[in-house]
Amino acid sequence: MNTDNSNSNDNNVRNIKRRTQALNSTNPISLRALTILIILFFTFIPHTALKTPPPLPILPLPSAPQLQWQLSSMALFLHFGPNTFTDSEWGTGHANPSVFNPTRLNASQWVHVAEEAGFSRVILTAKHHDGFCLWPSEYTDYSVKASPWRNGKGDVVAELATAAKEAGVALGLYLSPWDRHENCYGKTVEYNEFYMGQMVELLSRYGDIKEVWLDGAKGEGEKDMEYYFDAWFSLIRQLQPGAVIFSDTGPDTRWIGDEAGIAGSSCWSLFNRSDAEIGGTDPQYSQAGDPYGHDWVPAECDVSISPGWFWHASEVPKSALKLLDIYYRSAGRNCLLLLNVPPNSSGLISDEDIQVLQEFKELRRSIFSDNLAKNAMLNASSIRGGNDNSQFSPYNVLEDGIYTYWAPEEDQSDWVLYLNLQESLSFNVLQVQEPIHMGQRIIEFNLEILNGGGWKKVINGTTVGYKRLLQFPTVQSQYLKFVISRSRADPLISFLGIHMDRFSILSYASGITSQAHVNGSQVLQQFSIATDTKVLNVVCFDRAAKVIFGCSAQQFFDFATLHPYAAKNASNALVGEMFRITLSKPKRGNAEHLRMTSVVPLRSGFQPVIETLKDLYGVIYGAEGSGGFM
Ligand code: FUL
């Protein structure tokens, strides 16, 4: 082998010498011809530039199921069971199974509502603390088998699994460790065997399960026992390797530490599992995560659309504006928002919840579907692989998704993205995303605008992760810079958006609101507090949006939810048509949540001074003399 090599090396050397001699003996004209040939070769023969590899990821990293989970952003929680029929939250475990009789149960409706509202995963309480199983478990009689529903032949988990599969929606199941019905609860070995038997049923009968939800709740003074979490987690991994496991401390996703759906304003997916205990959550640690954490355990923010987790006839849903605020502080802080929308006792998600979900979706659409930076010209302090390297170009931040990103050259002291919006625009929301498959990196950043010749800071932020949304008082500028001041490794940005939110009202310590002018929602909010009903004459300006009246009426989405009886008139409205609407405060619940209880077409007797459709936009006429406002 060696000999062969040295022989061929000798031959090569001889050949090169021979060629050199030949060249030396050639006349100058052919030398010139050769030079030209070489130039032509390099000019016209295509040759591929070698790619610069991506930078090294920084540990810890998400697993494939964790990435899939995080990319879904929001999940719909479905609390359903005997509590739905007994007006309770923590059932005693002794409610008669005959109470469970949802005569109109339709799991496809649940899935459809989720999908329509932009949720791509659903999680069902297969068993809550009362021990009642929504599937016919062979380990207990306390289940759907003992209920009149579908003559004891029903299986809610199966119906939901089928509906979810058909719609391509991911399914998660909640199997409460605390069981107030089961006799062996309290006997460690027996109950762990019982619980794992139920887990096997759930994870082997219903196809792909994408999340297993284990909560740490247990009432005061309940029987003491040990849960064999390690054995449970291993079993789940064996049966459903694609599922993420939720508990107070992961292993895949952690509880945020409150039931209001609110994450810390710094929120790391990094976490030390060994520093946390299931059932002994330190809310501050859970809300913030740990920049020095060795485990990747992003947080899930659970919150209910209504005060309780189960449906209660007396409860009204939160307003869409409230949900938007929760969205900013959960999904907008690197977490998954798990919003509970409980089916009612007929077995359907209630109309008023659906209404709010649609309004919430509409709010998100109108704020986030337009990235005001979409036509921006971009520059960066440096680009990995050189300024011409499109692979890590700053323009990648205008593309959706995390897999294309801007990367700076290594070892830089500045990390800045410059944006020229090409025109001066107003905005009040910043959206930033990191390519989290490369690890979570950014510790601190700020956004600045060019204002009167100098750069002015608009907002400081800490941690980005999958998605960071930051609100600030409305500013106007053509030139922006996004500055990263601290990062665990070279920062990478996969998306940067700026948006205008005309709906949220920011209040600051000083008491000054973010908007310079009084807008419709503020006025509505004022009278929602001051009066029970309000009559307004409005102009329909957007047929497509059906229920939008006047510019500020976009803000009605929250403050004035359309009453079902008013819906017909409103949805038949034509652009330019005028209506008298009545807004009424509901008898119970949220003061800000005015309902639009009547929509009466105004055929005559009311003539606002408007000439063009453009003038219609943004005008609401107060019939009670409050005048027009914008
Ligand atoms: C808690 C439970 O005690 C509540 O009833 C609800 O299910 C909530 C999501 O988790 O631990």
Short mmCIF file of all heavy atoms in Angstrom, two decimals, residues 77 79 83 89-91 125 128-129 174 176 178 213-218 246 248 255 259 302-304 308-310 338 340, ligand 1:
data_model
loop_
_atom_site.label_atom_id
_atom_site.label_comp_id
_atom_site.label_asym_id
_atom_site.label_seq_id
_atom_site.Cartn_x
_atom_site.Cartn_y
_atom_site.Cartn_z
N PHE A 77 -57.76 23.26 26.19
CA PHE A 77 -57.94 22.34 27.31
C PHE A 77 -59.43 22.05 27.43
O PHE A 77 -60.27 22.98 27.33
CB PHE A 77 -57.46 23.07 28.57
CG PHE A 77 -56.75 22.22 29.58
CD1 PHE A 77 -56.16 22.81 30.70
CD2 PHE A 77 -56.65 20.85 29.44
CE1 PHE A 77 -55.49 22.06 31.65
CE2 PHE A 77 -55.98 20.08 30.39
CZ PHE A 77 -55.40 20.69 31.50
N HIS A 79 -61.96 20.48 30.04
CA HIS A 79 -62.33 19.89 31.33
C HIS A 79 -63.78 19.43 31.22
O HIS A 79 -64.68 20.23 30.98
CB HIS A 79 -62.19 20.92 32.46
CG HIS A 79 -60.81 20.99 33.03
ND1 HIS A 79 -59.74 21.46 32.31
CD2 HIS A 79 -60.31 20.63 34.26
CE1 HIS A 79 -58.65 21.40 33.07
NE2 HIS A 79 -58.97 20.89 34.25
N ASN A 83 -68.31 16.65 37.14
CA ASN A 83 -68.33 18.03 37.67
C ASN A 83 -69.14 18.97 36.78
O ASN A 83 -69.73 19.95 37.25
CB ASN A 83 -66.92 18.60 37.77
CG ASN A 83 -66.06 17.85 38.76
OD1 ASN A 83 -66.59 17.11 39.59
ND2 ASN A 83 -64.75 18.04 38.69
N GLU A 89 -66.05 21.76 41.04
CA GLU A 89 -64.71 21.85 40.48
C GLU A 89 -63.88 20.64 40.87
O GLU A 89 -63.27 20.00 40.03
CB GLU A 89 -64.02 23.13 40.97
CG GLU A 89 -64.43 24.36 40.21
CD GLU A 89 -63.89 24.35 38.77
OE1 GLU A 89 -62.71 24.08 38.55
OE2 GLU A 89 -64.70 24.62 37.84
N TRP A 90 -63.83 20.36 42.16
CA TRP A 90 -63.14 19.17 42.64
C TRP A 90 -64.21 18.20 43.13
O TRP A 90 -64.65 18.26 44.29
CB TRP A 90 -62.19 19.53 43.80
CG TRP A 90 -60.86 20.06 43.37
CD1 TRP A 90 -60.46 20.36 42.11
CD2 TRP A 90 -59.72 20.32 44.21
NE1 TRP A 90 -59.17 20.80 42.09
CE2 TRP A 90 -58.68 20.78 43.37
CE3 TRP A 90 -59.48 20.22 45.58
CZ2 TRP A 90 -57.41 21.15 43.87
CZ3 TRP A 90 -58.23 20.59 46.06
CH2 TRP A 90 -57.21 21.04 45.22
N GLY A 91 -64.67 17.32 42.26
CA GLY A 91 -65.70 16.36 42.64
C GLY A 91 -65.20 15.47 43.78
O GLY A 91 -64.00 15.20 43.87
N THR A 125 -59.48 16.01 29.93
CA THR A 125 -59.37 15.39 31.26
C THR A 125 -59.96 13.98 31.18
O THR A 125 -61.14 13.77 31.49
CB THR A 125 -60.21 16.20 32.29
OG1 THR A 125 -61.53 16.38 31.75
CG2 THR A 125 -59.59 17.53 32.61
N HIS A 128 -60.25 13.19 35.96
CA HIS A 128 -59.92 14.30 36.87
C HIS A 128 -59.82 13.75 38.28
O HIS A 128 -59.86 12.52 38.49
CB HIS A 128 -60.97 15.42 36.72
CG HIS A 128 -60.49 16.75 37.22
ND1 HIS A 128 -60.98 17.34 38.35
CD2 HIS A 128 -59.54 17.60 36.75
CE1 HIS A 128 -60.36 18.50 38.55
NE2 HIS A 128 -59.48 18.68 37.59
N HIS A 129 -59.71 14.64 39.27
CA HIS A 129 -59.47 14.17 40.65
C HIS A 129 -60.60 13.29 41.19
O HIS A 129 -60.40 12.55 42.15
CB HIS A 129 -59.29 15.36 41.61
CG HIS A 129 -58.30 16.38 41.14
ND1 HIS A 129 -57.16 16.05 40.45
CD2 HIS A 129 -58.26 17.74 41.30
CE1 HIS A 129 -56.47 17.15 40.19
NE2 HIS A 129 -57.12 18.19 40.68
N TYR A 174 -55.17 14.01 30.03
CA TYR A 174 -54.89 14.37 31.43
C TYR A 174 -55.35 13.18 32.25
O TYR A 174 -56.52 12.79 32.19
CB TYR A 174 -55.71 15.62 31.71
CG TYR A 174 -55.80 16.25 33.08
CD1 TYR A 174 -55.75 17.64 33.21
CD2 TYR A 174 -55.99 15.51 34.25
CE1 TYR A 174 -55.87 18.27 34.44
CE2 TYR A 174 -56.11 16.13 35.49
CZ TYR A 174 -56.05 17.50 35.58
OH TYR A 174 -56.19 18.12 36.80
N SER A 176 -55.35 12.29 36.05
CA SER A 176 -55.03 12.86 37.36
C SER A 176 -54.43 11.79 38.29
O SER A 176 -55.05 10.75 38.51
CB SER A 176 -56.32 13.41 37.99
OG SER A 176 -56.08 13.68 39.36
N TRP A 178 -54.06 12.21 41.57
CA TRP A 178 -54.95 12.24 42.75
C TRP A 178 -56.31 11.68 42.33
O TRP A 178 -56.91 12.17 41.37
CB TRP A 178 -55.07 13.68 43.26
CG TRP A 178 -55.91 13.84 44.48
CD1 TRP A 178 -56.08 12.94 45.49
CD2 TRP A 178 -56.70 14.98 44.82
NE1 TRP A 178 -56.92 13.46 46.45
CE2 TRP A 178 -57.32 14.71 46.06
CE3 TRP A 178 -56.95 16.21 44.21
CZ2 TRP A 178 -58.17 15.62 46.69
CZ3 TRP A 178 -57.79 17.12 44.82
CH2 TRP A 178 -58.40 16.82 46.06
N TRP A 213 -50.66 14.75 30.44
CA TRP A 213 -50.74 15.88 31.37
C TRP A 213 -50.92 15.36 32.79
O TRP A 213 -51.94 14.73 33.11
CB TRP A 213 -51.93 16.76 30.97
CG TRP A 213 -51.70 18.21 31.13
CD1 TRP A 213 -51.12 19.04 30.21
CD2 TRP A 213 -52.05 19.03 32.25
NE1 TRP A 213 -51.09 20.31 30.69
CE2 TRP A 213 -51.65 20.34 31.94
CE3 TRP A 213 -52.66 18.79 33.48
CZ2 TRP A 213 -51.85 21.40 32.81
CZ3 TRP A 213 -52.85 19.85 34.36
CH2 TRP A 213 -52.44 21.14 34.02
N LEU A 214 -49.93 15.59 33.63
CA LEU A 214 -49.98 15.12 35.02
C LEU A 214 -49.93 16.33 35.94
O LEU A 214 -48.90 17.00 36.00
CB LEU A 214 -48.76 14.24 35.32
CG LEU A 214 -48.45 13.12 34.34
CD1 LEU A 214 -47.17 12.42 34.73
CD2 LEU A 214 -49.59 12.12 34.35
N ASP A 215 -51.01 16.61 36.63
CA ASP A 215 -50.96 17.77 37.52
C ASP A 215 -50.57 17.30 38.92
O ASP A 215 -50.70 16.13 39.26
CB ASP A 215 -52.31 18.49 37.55
CG ASP A 215 -53.33 17.68 38.30
OD1 ASP A 215 -53.67 16.62 37.79
OD2 ASP A 215 -53.73 18.09 39.39
N GLY A 216 -50.10 18.26 39.70
CA GLY A 216 -49.60 17.91 41.03
C GLY A 216 -50.60 18.19 42.14
O GLY A 216 -50.24 18.14 43.32
N ALA A 217 -51.87 18.49 41.79
CA ALA A 217 -52.82 18.92 42.82
C ALA A 217 -53.26 17.77 43.72
O ALA A 217 -53.40 16.62 43.28
CB ALA A 217 -54.06 19.53 42.17
N LYS A 218 -53.49 18.12 44.99
CA LYS A 218 -53.98 17.14 45.97
C LYS A 218 -54.56 17.95 47.12
O LYS A 218 -53.92 18.91 47.58
CB LYS A 218 -52.80 16.30 46.43
CG LYS A 218 -53.17 15.16 47.32
CD LYS A 218 -51.95 14.24 47.43
CE LYS A 218 -52.14 13.19 48.46
NZ LYS A 218 -51.03 12.24 48.46
N PHE A 246 -46.12 16.56 30.53
CA PHE A 246 -46.26 17.79 31.32
C PHE A 246 -46.37 17.42 32.79
O PHE A 246 -47.12 16.50 33.16
CB PHE A 246 -47.54 18.53 30.91
CG PHE A 246 -47.93 19.64 31.87
CD1 PHE A 246 -47.59 20.96 31.61
CD2 PHE A 246 -48.64 19.37 33.04
CE1 PHE A 246 -47.94 21.98 32.49
CE2 PHE A 246 -48.99 20.38 33.93
CZ PHE A 246 -48.65 21.68 33.66
N ASP A 248 -45.37 19.52 36.96
CA ASP A 248 -44.82 20.74 37.57
C ASP A 248 -43.37 20.98 37.12
O ASP A 248 -42.93 22.11 36.99
CB ASP A 248 -44.83 20.61 39.10
CG ASP A 248 -46.23 20.65 39.68
OD1 ASP A 248 -47.17 20.88 38.90
OD2 ASP A 248 -46.38 20.45 40.90
N TRP A 255 -45.03 23.25 34.37
CA TRP A 255 -46.12 24.16 34.74
C TRP A 255 -45.50 25.54 34.97
O TRP A 255 -44.43 25.66 35.57
CB TRP A 255 -46.79 23.65 36.02
CG TRP A 255 -47.95 24.48 36.47
CD1 TRP A 255 -48.91 25.03 35.69
CD2 TRP A 255 -48.26 24.84 37.82
NE1 TRP A 255 -49.82 25.71 36.46
CE2 TRP A 255 -49.44 25.61 37.77
CE3 TRP A 255 -47.66 24.58 39.06
CZ2 TRP A 255 -50.03 26.14 38.92
CZ3 TRP A 255 -48.25 25.10 40.20
CH2 TRP A 255 -49.43 25.87 40.13
N GLU A 259 -52.18 29.76 37.70
CA GLU A 259 -53.27 29.31 36.82
C GLU A 259 -53.93 30.49 36.13
O GLU A 259 -55.09 30.45 35.75
CB GLU A 259 -54.26 28.45 37.62
CG GLU A 259 -53.61 27.11 37.94
CD GLU A 259 -54.53 26.09 38.58
OE1 GLU A 259 -55.57 26.50 39.11
OE2 GLU A 259 -54.18 24.90 38.54
N ASP A 302 -51.37 27.43 31.72
CA ASP A 302 -52.77 27.01 31.69
C ASP A 302 -53.65 28.06 32.35
O ASP A 302 -53.30 28.65 33.37
CB ASP A 302 -52.96 25.63 32.35
CG ASP A 302 -52.48 25.58 33.78
OD1 ASP A 302 -51.53 26.31 34.11
OD2 ASP A 302 -53.06 24.83 34.59
N VAL A 303 -54.78 28.29 31.73
CA VAL A 303 -55.73 29.28 32.22
C VAL A 303 -57.09 28.93 31.63
O VAL A 303 -57.16 28.33 30.56
CB VAL A 303 -55.29 30.71 31.80
CG1 VAL A 303 -55.21 30.85 30.28
CG2 VAL A 303 -56.21 31.79 32.36
N SER A 304 -58.16 29.29 32.35
CA SER A 304 -59.48 28.94 31.85
C SER A 304 -60.18 30.17 31.28
O SER A 304 -60.01 31.29 31.76
CB SER A 304 -60.33 28.35 32.98
OG SER A 304 -61.54 27.87 32.44
N GLY A 308 -64.03 29.07 36.47
CA GLY A 308 -63.75 27.67 36.85
C GLY A 308 -63.13 26.90 35.70
O GLY A 308 -63.07 27.38 34.56
N TRP A 309 -62.67 25.69 36.00
CA TRP A 309 -62.12 24.82 34.95
C TRP A 309 -63.23 24.03 34.28
O TRP A 309 -63.15 23.72 33.10
CB TRP A 309 -61.08 23.86 35.54
CG TRP A 309 -59.85 24.58 35.99
CD1 TRP A 309 -59.56 24.97 37.26
CD2 TRP A 309 -58.76 25.02 35.17
NE1 TRP A 309 -58.34 25.63 37.28
CE2 TRP A 309 -57.84 25.67 36.01
CE3 TRP A 309 -58.49 24.94 33.81
CZ2 TRP A 309 -56.65 26.23 35.54
CZ3 TRP A 309 -57.30 25.49 33.33
CH2 TRP A 309 -56.41 26.13 34.19
N PHE A 310 -64.27 23.69 35.07
CA PHE A 310 -65.42 22.98 34.50
C PHE A 310 -66.50 24.00 34.16
O PHE A 310 -66.51 25.12 34.68
CB PHE A 310 -65.94 21.92 35.48
CG PHE A 310 -65.02 20.72 35.56
CD1 PHE A 310 -63.94 20.72 36.43
CD2 PHE A 310 -65.22 19.63 34.74
CE1 PHE A 310 -63.07 19.63 36.49
CE2 PHE A 310 -64.36 18.53 34.79
CZ PHE A 310 -63.28 18.54 35.67
N LEU A 338 -52.16 27.22 27.11
CA LEU A 338 -53.15 26.13 27.20
C LEU A 338 -54.43 26.73 27.74
O LEU A 338 -54.57 26.98 28.94
CB LEU A 338 -52.61 25.03 28.14
CG LEU A 338 -53.56 23.87 28.45
CD1 LEU A 338 -54.02 23.18 27.19
CD2 LEU A 338 -52.86 22.86 29.37
N ASN A 340 -58.28 26.71 28.59
CA ASN A 340 -59.38 25.79 28.88
C ASN A 340 -60.72 26.35 28.40
O ASN A 340 -61.10 27.48 28.75
CB ASN A 340 -59.44 25.56 30.40
CG ASN A 340 -60.54 24.60 30.79
OD1 ASN A 340 -60.53 23.45 30.37
ND2 ASN A 340 -61.49 25.08 31.57
C1 FUL B 1 -55.23 21.65 38.78
C2 FUL B 1 -56.54 20.97 39.16
O1 FUL B 1 -56.67 20.87 40.56
C3 FUL B 1 -57.66 21.80 38.58
O2 FUL B 1 -58.92 21.26 38.88
C4 FUL B 1 -57.47 21.88 37.09
O3 FUL B 1 -57.62 20.62 36.52
C5 FUL B 1 -56.12 22.47 36.77
C6 FUL B 1 -55.82 22.55 35.32
O4 FUL B 1 -55.10 21.70 37.38
O5 FUL B 1 -54.16 21.04 39.28
#
